Amino acid sequence: MRKTVSILLCAVMIVACVFAFGGCTPAEKLSYDVVLLTDGGTVSDSSYNQSAWNGVSEFAEGAGMTSRYYQPVLDESGIVSAESAMSYVDLAVKSGAKFIVLPTAVYESVAYEGAQKYADVNFLLIDGTPKAENGEVASADNLMSVTFDDLQSGFLAGYNAVISGNQKLGYFGENNEISRKYGSGFIQGAAYAADKAGIPTVLEYADYDSPSIDYDYSFTVTANYKKISDIEEDVFKVNVVNGTGSGVYTEGSNVTITADPAPEGKVFDRWEVKSDTEGVKDSKVNLSTKTKTVSNLLVEKCDATITATYKDAESTLYPVTVLNENGTAYSTQYIGSGESCEVIAPAADFGMVFDHWNINSEEEGVIDDLNAKDTWVHMGEKELTLEPVYIKSVVPTFNVTVVTGEGGDGESEGSGAYVAGDKVSLKAALPKEGYIFYNWSNSDVNGYGAGISMANEYYPITTFDMVNRYQAVVEKMYNKGVSIIYAGGNQEGTVVSDATWSYNFPVKAIGSEIWQSGWTNYYSTSIKDYAAAVKACLGDFKGGEAFVGNCSNNCLSMSYVDEAFAEGYNSTYAALGDGTLILKPAAAVGADVSTAYPSKCLTVNYWITED
């Protein structure tokens, strides 16, 4: 992501020069009638910014007006701040803007603030509801907003899914009002098509975060072992003293050897190596380096003992202690003044997530990120103690239980609660006498793989990045025979398309965001047409009113409809547009949708605990 040092500098650069007729127009003479502020993205993003810009430029050209866009600078969290957005509104007004177009809900408060500040300029908010600074819905005589009929969008998706030949459908929703509109529309569209054709159809409906759902997102990772007698290759025992990497390995294995943190007053000195196989010299123990705390061992034809040794520190060392949640020491490192080290919080208990560190220092620059569970600290001339603080998760946690399989001796490490993107560290228990660590395996509560990818599943110390476990719900649908799934209104909806890559037989996803229409693993996408809405509103601006984009004004569509079914689709679309076909309101949040929309041919299963 590019970061601009100064918003003011960026603004000056934007308006400094416009190339026209081979010349450069002085900034004070520039004037633009219609100005679009993107949500931080580009106008070639194949998404809402591009659609909105198409509407602005087409309207301006047809009306004989000038137009331009500004791409506001994103802050460090990746959003357009209100302060930054208002600086671009100010710039647009100075440039003579008569209309300022603001796409997406990012601008809900900015649209109202701008309308209050500049009463002679018309503001158009696309796909959002104007709100005052306190969050309450607000209106202004020079502010028009656009919303879209999510119920009709869902209907088109459900209708298209059935007419294209699917009899087992899925809806992956979220327990909120917007998702309920999409989902209720999807049911009605599927029922309308199924009843009209007389085709028995089943729809599996799930809200991943509904209080009524007790879906278990947890999974188990197992350290597996084999009897050495069952291994055809030669195996050799490696004993690491004062470090990690011990185990029984086959010849040719690459083993990472890591020294334990140095004791108080000591620093790491070197590795000492010794062959434990009679007749094999110590020099045959092939270590990549003997002077660094992390080294690589290439296992050759001998058992070996590798020992980390330490020496007295030349200067004062200070302890860096990470505590467990109960206040006991989780890890301690001794670091010299001016040096740095990495600290990692223990895994959270089930149902909890890491929130921040409490640290016994108020000095600036001591810790890189107080809110990161894996961060760096920089030592001064006093000991550091870091206490991790955990909070209850507001969404289902992704719980991992690490177990030791038959042949292992003791507990394997890595159990805890994680969120998507966390790096999970695994450490297998040492094998019992006569056994060798073989590999890691994983499975969810239904016996399916959890979709994780390990750095090395055949090594006892490894890592993996936690995937979005909401995908487990989608995969369960596909495993039950569902052939196509829609996730309109669900912020986790991209897992529907992600899940399709896991199957070697045809399963389909229906998207609900304009940028998803070009993805090959989406069968089709329900489109909210920003361009059509912008042109309609700028052509007939009505301040203080809300414009609803729907089938009557061609602001909704499906990105793909099979030509064989286009006639039926078009006639149904027209019926929605002229009011011949009227949809029932969305089911209430928390309602059981399986009984909300009676149908002769469509059966809705509102689930998730049943197999």
Side-chain angles (χ1 to χ4, degrees):
M1 180 185 301
R2 293 183 179 178
K3 295 180 180 177
T4 303
V5 175
S6 168
I7 293 172
L8 179 58
L9 176 60
C10 179
V12 170
M13 291 174 66
I14 289 171
V15 299
C17 183
V18 173
F19 291 101
F21 306 103
C24 189
T25 304
E28 64 269 15
K29 293 183 180 180
L30 294 177
S31 179
Y32 302 101
D33 300 311
V34 188
V35 175
L36 168 76
L37 270 60
T38 77
D39 65 359
T42 70
V43 293
S44 58
D45 63 359
S46 298
S47 189
Y48 293 120
N49 290 307
Q50 183 169 343
S51 182
W53 175 240
N54 289 342
V56 166
S57 54
E58 289 171 16
F59 165 78
E61 183 178 355
M65 293 182 172
T66 56
S67 62
R68 75 151 303 142
Y69 69 87
Y70 296 127
Q71 183 180 337
V73 178
L74 299 173
D75 64 17
E76 291 186 356
S77 60
I79 63 173
V80 179
S81 69
E83 181 180 2
S84 174
M86 280 305 301
S87 71
Y88 285 92
V89 169
D90 294 340
L91 181 61
V93 173
K94 290 178 182 178
S95 297
K98 298 180 178 66
F99 295 95
I100 297 178
V101 180
L102 305 168
T104 78
V106 167
Y107 290 116
E108 287 185 329
S109 61
V110 173
Y112 178 71
E113 182 182 349
Q116 292 291 301
K117 186 175 182 180
Y118 297 110
D120 295 332
V121 179
N122 290 325
F123 288 78
L124 178 60
L125 173 65
I126 308 295
D127 209 6
T129 302
K131 293 178 181 177
E133 190 175 351
N134 61 7
E136 294 184 0
V137 176
S139 64
D141 291 341
N142 60 328
L143 171 58
M144 188 176 184
S145 61
V146 175
T147 60
F148 292 88
D149 192 328
D150 300 330
L151 200 63
Q152 286 192 359
S153 283
F155 182 97
L156 294 175
Y159 178 83
N160 197 29
V162 173
I163 64 172
S164 58
N166 298 283
Q167 291 180 254
K168 293 201 74 173
L169 320 178
Y171 178 72
F172 179 53
E174 190 172 354
N175 194 41
N176 61 43
E177 184 178 353
I178 293 175
S179 181
R180 276 300 162 113
K181 289 180 181 178
Y182 278 102
S184 297
F186 188 72
I187 293 173
Q188 293 179 69
Y192 182 80
D195 290 347
K196 198 168 183 179
I199 301 174
T201 304
V202 176
L203 194 160
E204 309 288 347
Y205 190 112
D207 286 335
Y208 77 82
D209 59 348
S210 171
S212 63
I213 289 179
D214 186 25
Y215 188 80
D216 190 348
Y217 293 94
S218 64
F219 62 95
T220 299
V221 177
T222 303
N224 300 303
Y225 303 80
K226 274 191 174 184
K227 291 182 178 179
I228 293 177
S229 58
D230 293 337
I231 302 295
E232 296 181 359
E233 304 159 273
D234 292 336
V235 296
F236 300 94
K237 184 175 181 179
V238 175
N239 179 34
V240 180
V241 180
N242 300 329
T244 59
S246 296
V248 180
Y249 303 97
T250 56
E251 181 186 359
S253 295
N254 283 291
V255 181
T256 300
I257 305 295
T258 304
D260 290 337
E264 185 174 2
K266 302 283 186 178
V267 293
F268 176 79
D269 183 23
R270 60 185 289 107
W271 292 103
E272 293 182 351
V273 298
K274 178 179 178 297
S275 166
D276 293 332
T277 299
E278 187 176 351
V280 178
K281 296 180 180 179
D282 293 345
S283 60
K284 281 293 185 180
V285 181
N286 192 345
L287 209 59
S288 62
T289 176
K290 294 182 180 180
T291 59
K292 294 183 179 180
T293 56
V294 179
S295 186
N296 184 73
L297 171 70
L298 178 63
V299 178
E300 301 204 29
K301 293 181 179 294
C302 68
D303 297 333
T305 296
I306 303 172
T307 304
T309 63
Y310 305 88
K311 62 183 180 180
D312 291 337
E314 296 180 357
S315 59
T316 303
L317 301 180
Y318 301 92
V320 178
T321 303
V322 174
L323 302 178
N324 285 303
E325 192 173 10
N326 61 9
T328 60
Y330 171 70
S331 66
T332 300
Q333 305 175 68
Y334 290 91
I335 307 296
S337 177
E339 296 182 350
S340 303
C341 68
E342 185 179 24
V343 292
I344 303 174
D349 289 338
F350 292 165
M352 307 292 285
V353 291
F354 174 85
D355 185 62
H356 68 276
W357 294 99
N358 284 336
I359 184 169
N360 67 329
S361 174
E362 296 181 356
E363 296 181 25
E364 293 186 3
V366 171
I367 186 169
D368 281 353
D369 190 347
L370 278 170
N371 301 111
K373 63 183 295 185
D374 184 348
T375 188
W376 284 76
V377 295
H378 311 285
M379 183 59 65
E381 295 184 350
K382 60 176 290 189
E383 66 178 50
L384 290 178
T385 301
L386 295 96
E387 177 190 12
V389 177
Y390 302 89
I391 60 174
K392 187 175 181 179
S393 177
V394 296
V395 297
T397 53
F398 306 146
N399 300 327
V400 177
T401 301
V402 181
V403 300
T404 302
E406 182 181 354
D409 187 13
E411 293 186 4
S412 297
E413 300 175 12
S415 295
Y418 301 90
V419 296
D422 277 351
K423 185 174 289 295
V424 181
S425 298
L426 302 176
K427 182 179 179 181
L430 292 175
K432 294 178 179 178
E433 188 70 31
Y435 284 83
I436 182 173
F437 173 82
Y438 182 67
N439 74 336
W440 295 98
S441 61
N442 65 85
S443 62
D444 65 16
V445 292
N446 296 305
Y448 301 116
I452 61 174
S453 178
M454 294 186 185
N456 188 345
E457 64 180 286
Y458 295 99
Y459 188 59
I461 301 175
T462 190
T463 62
F464 66 88
D465 291 332
M466 176 58 73
V467 297
N468 189 334
R469 287 290 294 147
Y470 298 125
Q471 188 170 319
V473 179
V474 175
E475 291 175 348
K476 182 175 179 180
M477 287 185 182
Y478 284 135
N479 292 332
K480 287 178 61 129
V482 168
S483 61
I484 192 165
I485 299 176
Y486 182 52
N490 186 345
Q491 63 179 347
E492 302 289 346
T494 53
V495 299
V496 174
S497 65
D498 293 342
T500 63
W501 297 107
S502 303
Y503 297 87
N504 57 10
F505 54 88
V507 292
K508 302 172 185 175
I510 302 177
S512 61
E513 303 288 346
I514 190 171
W515 56 268
Q516 296 171 342
S517 62
W519 285 26
T520 55
N521 58 331
Y522 280 101
Y523 171 75
S524 185
T525 299
S526 55
I527 302 292
K528 293 187 286 190
D529 194 334
Y530 278 31
V534 166
K535 288 188 288 185
C537 292
L538 293 181
D540 185 20
F541 189 86
K542 297 178 180 178
E545 294 189 11
F547 175 91
V548 179
N550 54 35
C551 294
S552 69
N553 43 45
N554 296 315
C555 286
L556 302 176
S557 64
M558 295 301 299
S559 64
Y560 172 74
V561 178
D562 192 306
E563 289 185 6
F565 311 108
E567 183 177 350
Y569 172 86
N570 290 337
S571 63
T572 301
Y573 190 97
L576 285 170
D578 64 22
T580 304
L581 181 55
I582 300 175
L583 305 186
K584 293 182 179 180
V589 173
D592 183 348
V593 297
S594 61
T595 58
Y597 306 100
S599 168
K600 294 182 298 182
C601 295
L602 180 71
T603 301
V604 179
N605 295 324
Y606 185 56
W607 55 295
I608 216 151
T609 55
E610 78 278 4
D611 293 327

